[in-house]
Amino acid sequence: MSKVEEFEELRPLLFSIAYRILGSVSEAEDAVQESWLRYDGSATRPTSAKAFLSATVTRIAIDVLRSARMRREAYVGPWFPEPLLSDPYEDPARSVELADSVSVAALLLLERLSPLERSVFVLRDVFAFEFDEIARAVGRSEAACRQLLVRARRHMADGRPRFAADREQRQELATRFFDALKDGDVGSLRTMLAADVQLVGDGGGKAPQLSRAVVGAENVARLLASVYPHMALIDVTFEVHEVNGQPGALFRTRDGDVLHTMALDVVDGRILTIRSVLNPDKLGHLGTVADAWAVDREVKDARRRTS
């Protein structure tokens, strides 16, 4: 097998490792590409392409994350990871764990960890790497990696998301939710929301967004029902789609441009959190991005005409 063939076979795994460490599709893709350049440029053929490339992409991702943390601290409003519609790495034996590990809730928990803790946790608890492989990847001893994992697990356990195990039930709830959203059916929306549901948006200061989270089933239901039917009047449509391994949707303008994504956290048969990513810088990998400010003006005009 050639180097190119080995790399392409491992690309899904490399991207999935990098994305979970970085929370960014574009940065993960860059890390994978840099890994290829280092692999292609290595003077000797490594014994294990998987070990070499996974270690390389992990080290690159750690360096990128260290520089990114300062930018995220100065971010305008809530920071969410770039939405991922499809995880390229598949392991049928661990499909549930992989889906949950890429959820927005899980990635936000990973933000609490140091770059080394985050990397060790991802390699061990998500991808089941052995400690000797992890040690080589992060440049620490096996004993140090075990300690890093203990600390990471402790932080993650404090707020670990509790998703319903039945994916079909989650998707059925999401379908009913988006039908009610389109119709502006406050009553139906309310019945699907947890009492302490939160609605939060990430615009990064570059798109219209909520000034703060909206909390409570009644408040969230009424806000959603007051906005989305008017978006339909200007031909904004949506596709029900998994977003970061959880139920969600991709919203588009009449021209097919990407407006935003919405992801739902479902716990105990109710929607606990609704997160939208509106920042255009985080949507470019999904297609041509809409002018959200122009859409917002159209929606407001539609509301005035129908009020």
Side-chain angles (χ1 to χ4, degrees):
M1 186 181 291
S2 69
K3 273 191 170 182
V4 172
E5 289 170 331
E6 285 182 324
F7 176 77
E8 289 301 328
E9 187 175 274
L10 291 165
R11 182 191 287 273
L13 171 64
L14 302 177
F15 173 85
S16 295
I17 290 172
Y19 178 77
R20 284 166 173 82
I21 294 173
L22 293 166
S24 165
V25 172
S26 54
E27 289 174 343
E29 289 174 341
D30 289 345
V32 172
Q33 182 61 25
E34 178 62 26
S35 299
W36 159 249
L37 294 175
R38 295 187 189 184
Y39 182 51
D40 187 45
S42 58
T44 59
R45 192 82 173 255
T47 305
S48 167
K50 178 182 177 182
F52 178 90
L53 285 165
S54 58
T56 300
V57 81
T58 297
R59 293 190 202 106
I60 293 169
I62 288 171
D63 289 342
V64 173
L65 183 60
R66 283 172 173 156
S67 64
R69 290 174 80 87
M70 189 173 295
R71 296 196 304 273
R72 292 178 188 179
E73 288 173 1
Y75 194 79
V76 177
W79 179 93
F80 297 157
E82 291 183 11
L84 184 68
L85 299 190
S86 178
D87 187 357
Y89 179 72
E90 296 180 357
D91 181 351
R94 308 183 68 249
S95 60
V96 173
E97 294 94 329
L98 288 170
D100 286 354
S101 71
V102 82
S103 71
V104 177
L107 292 173
L108 290 177
L109 281 176
L110 285 171
E111 284 290 304
R112 302 179 184 181
L113 309 182
S114 72
L116 282 177
E117 289 171 342
R118 185 167 182 161
S119 301
V120 170
F121 182 87
V122 167
L123 291 176
R124 180 61 181 175
D125 278 18
V126 179
F127 295 100
F129 277 69
E130 299 297 333
F131 277 105
D132 60 332
E133 298 173 302
I134 298 171
R136 287 193 294 271
V138 303
R140 295 292 189 274
S141 68
E142 289 187 41
C145 288
R146 292 179 187 276
Q147 287 302 311
L148 287 165
L149 182 63
V150 168
R151 291 202 297 270
R153 283 174 172 170
R154 186 182 305 126
H155 287 303
M156 293 294 287
D158 289 342
R160 193 93 186 222
R162 298 174 292 110
F163 297 121
D166 191 324
R167 180 169 292 186
E168 283 190 14
Q169 289 180 355
R170 286 186 296 182
Q171 289 303 136
E172 187 272 335
L173 176 64
T175 299
R176 289 192 289 113
F177 170 81
F178 286 111
D179 284 344
L181 186 68
K182 180 174 59 180
D183 296 336
D185 188 339
V186 176
S188 293
L189 286 169
R190 191 190 304 114
T191 64
M192 290 180 270
L193 303 175
D196 54 347
V197 62
Q198 291 193 40
L199 172 64
V200 195
D202 171 358
K206 299 183 178 184
Q209 66 185 80
L210 299 167
S211 59
R212 59 182 181 275
V214 178
V215 181
E218 184 68 25
N219 294 332
V220 170
R222 290 194 176 281
L223 177 60
L224 291 174
S226 71
V227 172
Y228 282 92
H230 292 96
M231 292 176 70
L233 291 176
I234 62 166
D235 300 322
V236 170
T237 59
F238 61 84
E239 307 156 13
V240 176
H241 202 296
E242 278 199 352
V243 178
N244 287 82
Q246 306 302 318
L250 176 64
F251 288 75
R252 296 183 184 274
T253 65
R254 64 171 67 91
D255 298 321
D257 296 344
V258 176
L259 181 59
H260 70 88
T261 61
M262 181 181 285
L264 311 176
D265 288 351
V266 179
V267 178
D268 298 330
R270 294 287 185 275
I271 297 168
L272 182 62
T273 313
I274 304 170
R275 297 186 181 91
S276 292
V277 175
L278 307 99
N279 185 340
D281 294 346
K282 296 184 175 185
L283 300 172
H285 62 286
L286 301 177
T288 303
V289 181
D291 181 345
W293 295 106
V295 173
D296 184 57
R297 289 191 293 272
E298 282 194 77
V299 170
K300 288 176 179 175
D301 288 343
R303 292 179 73 175
R304 281 194 290 269
R305 290 195 303 270
T306 57
S307 61

